[in-house]
Amino acid sequence: MARTQRLRIGDLLVQAKLITNEQLAEALERQKRTRERLGKVLLSMGIITDRQIAQTLSQQLRLPLANLTAQQQIDSSIARMIAESMARKHRVLPLKREGNTLALAMADPLDVYAIDDVEIATGCTVSPVVTTESDIVEAINRTYGMGGGSAAQVLEQLTQASPAAEIAAVAPEGDVTTEEDVDAAPVIRLVNLLITQALRERASDIHVEPEEAEVRVRFRIDGALQTVMTVPKGAHPPLVSRLKILSRLNIADRRLPQDGSFSLTVEGRPVDFRVATLPTVHGERVTLRLLDKTRSLLSLDQLGLAEPGRSLYEKLIRQTYGIILVCGPTGSGKTTTLVSSLSMINSVDKNIVTIEDPVEYQLPGISHVLINPKVGLTFATGLRSIVRHDPDIIMVGEVRDVETAEIAIHASLTGHLVLSTIHTNDAPSALTRLLDMGIEPFLIASSVIGVLSQRLVRTLCTHCKKPAPIDPALRAMLIESLGEDCPLPDQVMARGECAQCRYTGYRGRTGIYEVLVMSDRIRRHVLGRVSASAISETARAEGMRTMWEDGLGKVLAGQTTVEEVLRVIRADDTSAEFSIKKSASPAADLSPPSPEPPDHPTPPPEASPAT
């Protein structure tokens, strides 16, 4: 393959008729915004699979195709001819050496910079072998990471080391995977392994949980906890002490809970960590929340907000004043939705200020305020000061108390658009929660223009999901919820098992949503202090598509399973859906007609002009 050809992967896919020129142009436009690999952008668009990309490159370039998942053993001595950081940067892995020729597995064999770097590092001539990016990542994890036996070696060294020496050890600041760490104390290397592996596995949290005889380490991946390793009981004190030292906590105090934080650069990625300790009968438990600063911001479409809810919500966030609430339990993606909303409406002619705890995303042109209760900077006090800075749009991390709610409401009534979150089970309950907090009904009816409720469901792994006949019980559930006129396929996608999803059948998450737009009828309900179920019935009669219906739509689309939807939606929520007569819900075709939101917030009924 001549280097002067300057072939591009997009052109090859068009030549193979796997994508169109229009799809390639759209992917290139997205790539400019996300700065991701073109192949990854095409995968996220759902128009091609990584296996199709690999097969096309193999056929068009006449290169061998490798299936690394089927390969039982990769020669670690050959793989370690290049540094792990180089392997991960370029998504490459040396497989075999014959004389001065090195067979190099590559997700993108057209990447001449990767080939040049490997040839300089090894002194060999590279012979590309094509494979999928997911297979490359899994093989790198198996070769360099915990799967390569390094964790077991560190644990063995850790249990043999002096506890006093381990507790006193402090790693150098900066990148946790630098060459200097090779000879560092075992506890430092163990913490580095846990952190790097958690980021590679896309974990949001690390749990270190002491038990009577051992210590369990679990990662929360795609919202579900998975055990990744067990640590000998003797390694627990130095492990906790190391995490406390990083977080600047008191290592001598083991009787009280402590909270802290620290920042590290992991494989070139700046990451913030929030750390919390909790004394238990078997020792201190430690939980780390990982906040990757390089995480790309997703659009509403990529978050899973589909039509007609997306159009309704986009019109809401483009209003000039009023309150929009996003509700759901902790960890349901509320903040991500709000920040994605701000990125859509952010412009040079708008003054946008946020007050959060913590600041998870930082957007250019937006002022982010971090609350600090220790010095008196709470949501309420911060919000009271923000309104004096002439903002157009305000984002409040959470409505936690009546004081914050009242200030937010008055800010919206004086010409500001306020976005915030609240903990409720569904969209109608957000209105009754404000009533329960003591907010006057006329203030709620005048200020709130819409509520979005959401949950995160795990999506089926694209590598191992498989079609399966619809179970009779599932068919009956779909008919009861969506109506007899809803066309049902003969098959839906079911879970499989593979290394890419850690044999869970799921990889990645998407959202299920319901969007409630305040109408005159719902405002009258609020003024009359009616129940959330009555508000829900009215909203559904006006076209609101519930989270349950949205989840079933994603089941029929092959994105997730009904078991996963039921896992995140309480049983009493779904039974409430079934109890509502089908005549009250026009959702049989999964695309109900929806009322248009008002161009501006409608005043309460008593203030409306007569018609």
Side-chain angles (χ1 to χ4, degrees):
M1 181 181 65
R3 300 282 179 87
T4 58
Q5 285 181 285
R6 305 296 295 171
L7 294 172
R8 297 182 298 178
I9 187 172
D11 296 331
L12 292 179
L13 294 172
V14 172
Q15 292 175 15
K17 298 183 178 180
L18 289 175
I19 63 174
T20 64
N21 285 310
E22 292 76 15
Q23 290 172 328
L24 175 60
E26 182 183 355
L28 291 172
E29 187 63 30
R30 288 195 184 190
Q31 186 187 35
K32 291 179 182 178
R33 299 194 304 267
T34 63
R35 299 185 180 276
E36 295 176 329
R37 294 169 179 264
L38 180 60
K40 189 172 182 180
V41 173
L42 291 168
L43 289 174
S44 67
M45 293 171 63
I47 59 179
I48 197 171
T49 66
D50 57 355
R51 183 63 59 186
Q52 287 176 314
I53 294 176
Q55 290 173 344
T56 300
L57 291 173
S58 174
Q59 294 168 1
Q60 297 286 339
L61 302 177
R62 298 181 181 179
L63 295 174
L65 181 66
N67 184 3
L68 297 184
T69 57
Q71 189 169 333
Q72 296 297 321
Q73 186 67 36
I74 296 175
D75 190 338
S76 60
S77 62
I78 297 296
R80 294 182 186 278
M81 290 178 66
I82 65 173
E84 179 184 359
S85 57
M86 181 181 293
R88 293 192 180 278
K89 175 183 177 182
H90 295 303
R91 297 291 195 266
V92 299
L93 187 66
L95 300 179
K96 188 169 78 170
R97 179 177 181 177
E98 293 183 354
N100 199 43
T101 301
L102 183 67
L104 186 69
M106 305 183 68
D108 182 6
L110 300 172
D111 189 347
V112 295
Y113 300 106
I115 294 175
D116 289 342
D117 283 354
V118 173
E119 288 183 343
I120 293 173
T122 62
C124 297
T125 300
V126 166
S127 175
V129 177
V130 185
T131 187
T132 66
E133 184 166 346
S134 57
D135 284 358
I136 278 278
V137 172
E138 194 276 333
I140 290 174
N141 289 343
R142 193 168 66 245
T143 304
Y144 295 99
M146 290 185 178
S150 55
Q153 297 170 5
V154 170
L155 288 175
E156 182 179 357
Q157 297 172 2
L158 183 58
T159 53
Q160 295 174 355
S162 165
E166 291 296 346
I167 292 175
V170 179
E173 296 296 330
D175 195 322
V176 301
T177 56
T178 55
E179 296 291 338
E180 289 79 359
D181 287 339
V182 173
D183 298 324
V187 66
I188 297 174
R189 294 166 58 198
L190 176 60
V191 170
N192 291 353
L193 276 171
L194 288 174
I195 290 174
T196 54
Q197 189 72 5
L199 286 169
R200 293 168 189 170
E201 298 283 354
R202 303 172 296 106
S204 60
D205 301 85
I206 303 174
H207 292 251
V208 179
E209 304 165 333
E211 298 178 346
E212 185 175 2
E214 60 187 11
V215 180
R216 179 175 60 174
V217 178
R218 295 193 291 175
F219 293 166
R220 187 174 294 279
I221 303 173
D222 294 332
L225 285 171
Q226 300 179 27
T227 301
V228 294
M229 67 185 301
T230 56
V231 178
K233 191 70 172 179
H236 179 245
L239 175 59
V240 173
S241 295
R242 172 61 187 156
L243 293 172
K244 282 186 168 184
I245 289 172
L246 284 172
S247 310
R248 296 177 175 84
L249 300 179
N250 185 353
I251 64 173
D253 191 349
R254 301 183 179 92
R255 300 168 300 173
L256 294 174
Q258 298 185 61
D259 295 324
S261 63
F262 64 94
S263 299
L264 288 174
T265 301
V266 185
E267 297 178 342
R269 299 157 59 186
V271 184
D272 288 340
F273 298 84
R274 297 173 64 195
V275 182
T277 68
L278 183 68
T280 71
V281 293
H282 298 302
E284 285 185 285
R285 172 191 176 120
V286 185
T287 302
L288 292 83
R289 167 64 58 88
L290 283 64
L291 303 174
D292 188 353
K293 293 183 179 180
T294 63
R295 188 171 40 179
S296 59
L297 202 59
L298 302 177
S299 66
L300 295 177
D301 185 34
Q302 292 172 318
L303 291 175
L305 183 56
E307 296 293 353
R310 184 177 62 193
S311 295
L312 289 171
Y313 183 71
E314 287 182 358
K315 290 179 180 179
L316 287 173
I317 63 177
R318 296 187 188 280
Q319 303 299 319
T320 55
Y321 61 93
I323 292 182
I324 301 172
L325 295 173
V326 177
C327 58
T330 301
S332 59
K334 301 186 298 296
T335 301
T336 302
T337 298
L338 285 181
V339 177
S340 297
S341 304
L342 291 180
S343 69
M344 285 187 59
I345 57 180
N346 186 19
S347 61
V348 294
D349 61 337
K350 289 186 174 70
N351 179 18
I352 304 178
V353 184
T354 76
I355 180 165
E356 306 167 68
D357 179 28
V359 177
E360 296 186 25
Y361 300 88
Q362 296 186 33
L363 301 179
I366 294 179
S367 300
H368 298 274
V369 178
L370 176 65
I371 73 166
N372 187 355
K374 293 181 179 179
V375 298
L377 180 56
T378 63
F379 280 117
T381 57
L383 184 56
R384 190 177 285 109
S385 298
I386 287 173
V387 295
R388 292 195 287 267
H389 285 264
D390 187 30
D392 297 293
I393 301 170
I394 304 171
M395 188 190 99
V396 184
E398 182 184 346
V399 175
R400 294 180 178 176
D401 50 52
V402 63
E403 184 182 8
T404 304
E406 288 178 342
I407 299 172
I409 285 173
H410 286 292
S412 70
L413 294 175
T414 54
H416 306 91
L417 179 66
V418 180
L419 293 84
S420 188
T421 69
I422 191 169
H423 289 285
T424 59
N425 291 328
D426 54 22
S429 299
L431 302 176
T432 56
R433 174 63 58 84
L434 292 176
L435 291 170
D436 294 340
M437 292 173 64
I439 306 298
E440 291 295 335
F442 74 91
L443 290 175
I444 301 173
S446 302
S447 60
V448 177
I449 61 175
V451 183
L452 180 142
S453 182
Q454 67 179 76
R455 299 288 190 280
L456 291 178
V457 295
R458 292 178 293 175
T459 53
L460 288 166
C461 176
T462 56
H463 297 88
C464 63
K465 68 178 182 180
K466 53 191 177 183
I470 294 185
D471 182 83
L474 172 58
R475 181 177 293 275
M477 182 185 299
L478 291 169
I479 292 175
E480 184 174 8
S481 179
L482 304 177
E484 296 181 357
D485 296 333
C486 178
L488 297 179
D490 295 328
Q491 294 181 324
V492 293
M493 301 306 293
R495 295 165 55 189
E497 290 184 349
C498 70
Q500 274 74 19
C501 61
R502 296 178 62 90
Y503 304 97
T504 63
Y506 298 103
R507 182 175 174 85
R509 288 191 290 180
T510 189
I512 57 175
Y513 301 88
E514 64 184 28
V515 180
L516 183 150
V517 178
M518 288 289 283
S519 64
D520 286 341
R521 290 180 62 189
I522 295 176
R523 286 190 174 91
R524 284 194 290 269
H525 285 332
V526 172
L527 292 171
R529 295 180 178 270
V530 304
S531 65
S533 60
I535 295 175
S536 178
E537 288 191 35
T538 299
R540 296 186 77 235
E542 293 179 344
M544 184 184 76
R545 181 178 178 178
T546 66
M547 287 185 292
W548 172 242
E549 292 165 347
D550 191 35
L552 291 183
K554 288 179 169 61
V555 171
L556 295 178
Q559 297 180 30
T560 187
T561 63
V562 69
E563 294 84 5
E564 183 64 11
V565 177
L566 287 170
R567 182 182 69 86
V568 300
I569 298 180
R570 290 178 10 178
D572 55 348
D573 293 335
T574 56
S575 63
E577 304 292 346
F578 296 146
S579 65
I580 298 173
K581 294 181 180 180
K582 287 187 269 299
S583 60
S585 175
D589 61 350
L590 290 178
S591 56
S594 304
E596 296 292 322
D599 292 334
H600 54 81
T602 306
E606 62 269 21
S608 300
T611 57

